[in-house]
Structure formats: C-alpha cells, structure tokens
C-alpha cells in the first residue's frame, strides 16, 4: 500500500489537503503541456523544475504524514 493510500485508509485529516495539492499540481502540469510549445527553452526549464520540485516536496510530506500516523499506532500498541 502506498503512503497516500495509508493516509486515506487511516482517515488522516491531511489526506484531503494533499489530495487538493496533487490536483492543483496536475492542473499546473496540464497548463504546462498546453503552453510548452509557446515557451522558450529557459521558460520550459523553469516551469518543469518548479513542477518537479513541488512534486518531490509533496511526496515527502505524504510519506512523512504516513510514517507519523503508523508510528503513532505502533506507540499506542507498545503501550498496551
């Protein structure tokens, strides 16, 4: 199960926020695809780098949230 599915399964409050961010990133990628033919080399590179870096950050946030949720459950189990 991937980290995003873990958050959804655990009904984590951050899931909807991250879902919205992924949707916005996908929308931005579609805009990039439509405008890329009109952009010069530097503009394409900047746009692409911005999309890539935002995706990396968002994935790291999801991974961290998933880890903290699972870790919280493990700590709860250990306390039993």
């Amino acid at each position: 199960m991937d980290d995003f599915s873990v958050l959804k399964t655990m009904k984590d409050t951050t899931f909807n926020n991250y879902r919205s961010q992924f949707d916005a990133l996908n929308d931005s990628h579609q805009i990039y695809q439509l405008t890329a033919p009109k952009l010069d080399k530097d503009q394409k590179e900047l746009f692409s780098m911005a999309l890539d870096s935002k995706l990396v950050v968002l994935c790291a946030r999801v991974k961290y949230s998933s880890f903290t949720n699972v870790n919280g459950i493990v700590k709860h189990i250990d306390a039993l």
Side-chain angles (χ1 to χ4, degrees), residues 26-36 47:
N26 284 333
D27 291 344
S28 295
H29 191 268
Q30 288 178 344
I31 292 169
Y32 172 74
Q33 293 297 321
L34 293 172
T35 59
F47 206 146

Side-chain angles (χ1 to χ4, degrees), residues 2-57:
D2 66 56
D3 294 315
F4 199 60
S5 296
V6 168
L7 291 179
K8 184 176 182 180
T9 302
M10 298 178 121
K11 304 202 183 328
D12 186 274
T13 57
T14 60
F15 173 80
N16 289 332
N17 183 36
Y18 293 143
R19 173 80 262 160
S20 295
Q21 289 180 30
F22 274 116
D23 289 344
L25 191 58
N26 284 333
D27 291 344
S28 295
H29 191 268
Q30 288 178 344
I31 292 169
Y32 172 74
Q33 293 297 321
L34 293 172
T35 59
K38 300 171 187 163
L39 301 176
D40 67 30
K41 180 184 171 198
D42 290 338
Q43 291 170 326
K44 284 181 189 177
E45 183 180 11
L46 286 172
F47 206 146
S48 178
M49 287 182 345
L51 290 171
D52 290 345
S53 63
K54 186 62 176 179
L55 180 60
V56 169
V57 169

